[in-house]
Amino acid sequence: MRTDTGQVFKLEDYRPNDYLIPQTNLTFRLSPDATHVTALLTVERRDGVSVSAPLVLDGDGLTLKRIEIDGKKVKPADMLASPDQLTILKPPAARRFQLLIETELAPAGNEALMGLYRSSHVYCTQCEAEGFRRITYFLDRPDILSVYTVRIEAMRDEAPLLLSNGNPVDKGDLGDGWHYASWHDPFPKPSYLFALVAGNLGQLADSFVTLSGRTVELGIYVEPGKEKLAGYAMDALKRSMKWDEEAFGREYDLDVFNIVAVSDFNMGAMENKGLNIFNDKYVLADQETATDADFANIEAIIAHEYFHNWTGNRITCRDWFQLCLKEGLTVFRDHEFSADQRSRAVKRIAEVRTLRAHQFPEDQGPLAHPVRPRRYREINNFYTATVYEKGSEVVRMIRTILGVDVFRAGMDLYFERHDGDAATIEDFIKVFEDASGRDLSQFALWYHQAGTPNLTISSTHNPAAREFTLEIEQSVPPTPSESRKRLMHIPLAFGLIGAGGKPVDYSGVEGASVEDGVIHVRKRRHMVRFSGVTERPAVSLNRGFSAPVTLSVEQKADDQFFLARHDSDAFSRWQAFNTLLTDALISAFREILGGKQPAFAPRLIELAGGIAGDETLEPAYRALALALPGEADIARDIGRNIDPDAIYAAREALALAIGTANRDAFSGLYERLADREAFSPDAASAGRRALRNTLLDYLSLQPGGAALAAGHFQSATNMTDRAAALAVLAHRHDGSPEAIKALAAFETAYGSDPLVMDKWFQIQASVPGPQTVDTVKALTSHPAFSMGNPNRVRSLIGTFSSANQTSFHRADGEGYWFFAQTVLEVEKRNPQVAARLATALRSWRSLEPLRQAKAREALLSIAGAENLSADLRDIVERTLA
Ligand code: 0A1
Ligand code: ZN
């Protein structure tokens, strides 16, 4: 385990290395406890670098077995070798030389799941960000691009399948039960994209003919016997390949494209060139074992990794500060793909919900950082919602500002100008400036400045002057180490809506530049005057969520209700209703704290019923509208002095009020939505299931609710319905005979399927109430649970800490205490997963004082542990700072 050295890496310290490694030849002789890796590197001194410059290679816990330069052993006096670094003190005078390094690894004991490890007896690798240095000494940084040739030798019984990046070149028998395969990747790539897989796996094979008529062989490799479960992933892959050709003109470039699913993986998946490695959760699916959400995730992640082939692999990052160059852009691309495959409006609402749930709290708490950070201690901790999701929003804003066609011209220029480069955010912005002739320097602050901007907006109408005025003021709250912020360029899409929902015409506008329904907010304060406006319009703001900002709008409730019914922008219409719900929940929260019974406006309750039954709206949209803001969302909007129990009570009261007033309508609709056709994972079918399951949630609070949910559970013909019913029973009727019976039936049916058992863990870990701390503790001893498997840990411990407000934040602090001990236990094996878990405490300062004190104690107990990993120390210290 890498412990903290206290070293801080800074963007301004970037400089190219003195050496390059144009070619890398690797030979692996695989064995679980003593794998030998021979790296033959062609090293080249850069022009102008002194002959006496030492060559300093990165390592991480390596055992060096042999080292030669140009065929001659390097003498101990000519080098400095430690597990974490190898320095060649006096490299040869020749500009190019061959460096041979042999290392010995123990993949079977590698529980950090970085470098070469084994997952269910399959050898696999994970090298992003700095895992390659756990395989051999190297210039392990993304600006060192090398052409790789890889030879893998293994026992045929143990590993009949041998895969690496690029195209297959050769394979054969070596005698004594051994065999080999060689691979060559003609595209120079950084070490983080290296991959190897060896083991016994089943294959689903297919092919794809590209735009220019080349046939690419496609393979998805899974645990033998599970090939059928890869069918949806394969279909998503072919759709992704086609879409990238159509939407971005990008064609695939190798003869083969392989995907391997493994069951132990730290993240979702990895875009290694020509050999993507996936967490099996994002490959395996059928109606019996996967929910509609799983299908949608598989589609999105398959697309994401595939799209990286151009945005990440062909054009990579100069250094890790530029991570958003590949991640923000690739998330934007996968969002657009999903929007095209499904419903654009529904997709956008879901994206914004995710952004608000994950990125906003990051931006508003101690871990806030710019989309392009300027410093880090541990790069693994920067695979964040800010880099990914906000990074994607920034690309979306560029498109909003430039328009679709100029944006596409900028992207074409990016591919043309930077193919084969390790590029920067400055390079990226420049292509859009060049394609549009615009100055994007103020806009670029979105990359450099942390924090969520706020717009305070009020409006006035002067009927005599026929003038409508919007007063807009921007502010960016301070974030750690950035107390003063500069003014940003915020593209605010808007609409003026008159009676009957028609757009209101205006004859002129001054006070800001307004183009195609977008106000360009650039100054601290704008008075935007629309002339020729006779009737007072309702204003629809931040349409389509054109900018990732918060709004403080003085708006009459009447206008809000009007927009929730009439806004022609589907996103803003959802937003208006969601704001009404949030406001009602915050008022209820305050009433509960004041010892009162909360009351809700009848017209809000009626509107909920109206939306549920509005057949002009897609079922998936209605389901999203009816899903009440989550407890954490409400907490974020309240901001401080959070009492999770009161928030929970407010939310339950509103759910009960909506369900009670609309019971008959909801029941009728619930019946009508019952699926009578064969299962299909398509978006429309999934939307109907989502609406029906949302209605079930409301109806479960009504008399006979437990029986209704139990019936739903028993008659379910797919995992979406079954898991939804189980969640309703466990969450709304905890401890009831129906809930106990269903949990047991589920366990019996799926006890041997780890991915399905993850759902069982998740549902129990999110049961509201103080008792769940004990349930979760007990479940850590369940035979299906393992502290060593990231999916299990995230399902049980991750769900408990990030999706169970009342139990995790139990008033006596027991939730935090159990959590702190568990994080330390996970850390012993897997520091990366432990560090990510620990971010669940990042909003501790917004809690009421007693909980705040307990949360702080728990954080201090982690910080005080001996030999903390760099990963966990970084998170805990920043959280406490
Ligand atoms: N580049 C991957 C994410 C990823 C990052 C680090 C990893 O190390 C454990 C694994 C995957 C992506 O964006 O999908
Ligand atoms: Zn990615």
Side-chain angles (χ1 to χ4, degrees), residues 498-627:
K502 294 257 160 31
V504 166
D505 281 338
Y506 52 88
S507 52
V509 55
E510 55 185 55
S513 92
V514 177
E515 300 163 32
D516 300 329
V518 176
I519 301 172
H520 292 269
V521 177
R522 292 166 175 277
K523 300 193 291 186
R524 180 167 314 285
R525 203 161 150 262
H526 290 265
M527 294 286 274
V528 190
R529 291 193 166 79
F530 298 88
S531 46
V533 181
T534 40
E535 55 167 336
R536 191 186 72 86
V539 213
S540 161
L541 289 163
N542 208 15
R543 285 187 146 183
F545 203 66
S546 62
V549 299
T550 53
L551 298 181
S552 312
V553 189
E554 255 177 55
Q555 199 157 32
K556 297 196 176 74
D558 283 355
D559 281 355
Q560 215 50 273
F561 273 95
F562 177 79
L563 292 171
R565 288 200 176 90
H566 297 294
D567 201 321
S568 59
D569 180 273
F571 172 82
S572 294
R573 189 168 168 186
W574 167 83
Q575 180 62 71
F577 182 58
N578 197 261
T579 304
L580 287 168
L581 292 173
T582 303
D583 292 348
L585 286 163
I586 294 177
S587 304
F589 165 80
R590 301 213 192 287
E591 283 162 1
I592 287 166
L593 283 185
K596 281 197 249 146
Q597 188 70 12
F600 300 98
R603 63 175 175 168
L604 178 66
I605 307 291
E606 255 168 55
L607 181 54
I611 291 174
D614 186 341
E615 300 289 339
T616 66
L617 299 169
E618 295 171 82
Y621 176 94
R622 289 185 260 161
L624 278 174
L626 290 174

Side-chain angles (χ1 to χ4, degrees), residues 126 128 267 269 271 304-305 308 326-327 383 388 832:
Q126 173 54 42
E128 187 175 5
M267 309 275 269
E271 71 263 24
H304 180 96
E305 306 310 331
H308 266 314
K326 72 178 178 85
E327 296 305 347
Y383 289 78
Y388 276 65
Q832 215 178 94

Side-chain angles (χ1 to χ4, degrees), residues 248-250 310-311 314-315 408-421 423 427-428 431 434-435:
F248 284 93
R250 296 298 108 197
W310 274 96
T311 50
R314 290 284 288 256
I315 306 179
R408 173 66 199 270
M411 284 301 300
D412 289 348
L413 183 58
Y414 178 62
F415 293 123
E416 187 190 311
R417 189 181 283 175
H418 293 292
D419 186 12
D421 286 354
D427 295 328
F428 186 67
V431 296
D434 290 353

Side-chain angles (χ1 to χ4, degrees), residues 104-183:
E104 186 183 292
L105 320 174
N110 180 352
E111 289 186 297
L113 314 183
M114 288 296 286
L116 178 69
Y117 66 96
R118 295 226 302 175
S119 173
S120 309
H121 301 285
V122 174
Y123 293 91
C124 62
T125 54
Q126 173 54 42
C127 293
E128 187 175 5
E130 296 177 338
F132 193 71
R133 61 184 68 183
R134 291 164 64 93
I135 294 174
T136 189
Y137 294 100
F138 203 73
L139 293 174
D140 190 16
R141 41 187 284 169
D143 60 348
I144 297 293
L145 304 183
S146 193
V147 172
Y148 284 68
T149 306
V150 177
R151 176 182 162 103
I152 311 166
E153 301 177 358
M155 297 285 290
R156 196 186 283 278
D157 284 357
E158 190 191 28
L161 175 78
L162 307 172
L163 302 174
S164 190
N165 313 93
N167 295 319
V169 204
D170 185 22
K171 62 181 172 189
D173 199 76
L174 293 169
D176 288 337
W178 286 76
H179 72 144
Y180 78 96
S182 304
W183 292 78

Side-chain angles (χ1 to χ4, degrees), residues 279-341:
N279 185 327
D280 58 1
K281 170 180 164 61
Y282 297 118
V283 172
L284 304 174
D286 67 2
Q287 77 182 79
E288 180 59 29
T289 56
T291 62
D292 291 324
D294 293 328
F295 281 103
N297 282 333
I298 290 170
E299 180 178 79
I301 297 178
I302 290 273
H304 180 96
E305 306 310 331
Y306 174 73
F307 296 157
H308 266 314
N309 190 56
W310 274 96
T311 50
N313 302 3
R314 290 284 288 256
I315 306 179
T316 193
C317 303
R318 187 192 73 174
D319 52 65
W320 291 121
F321 298 101
Q322 320 296 329
L323 184 57
C324 64
L325 178 75
K326 72 178 178 85
E327 296 305 347
L329 177 55
T330 305
V331 170
F332 172 74
R333 279 152 51 69
D334 84 55
H335 282 175
E336 282 301 292
F337 167 74
S338 295
D340 283 346
Q341 305 286 311

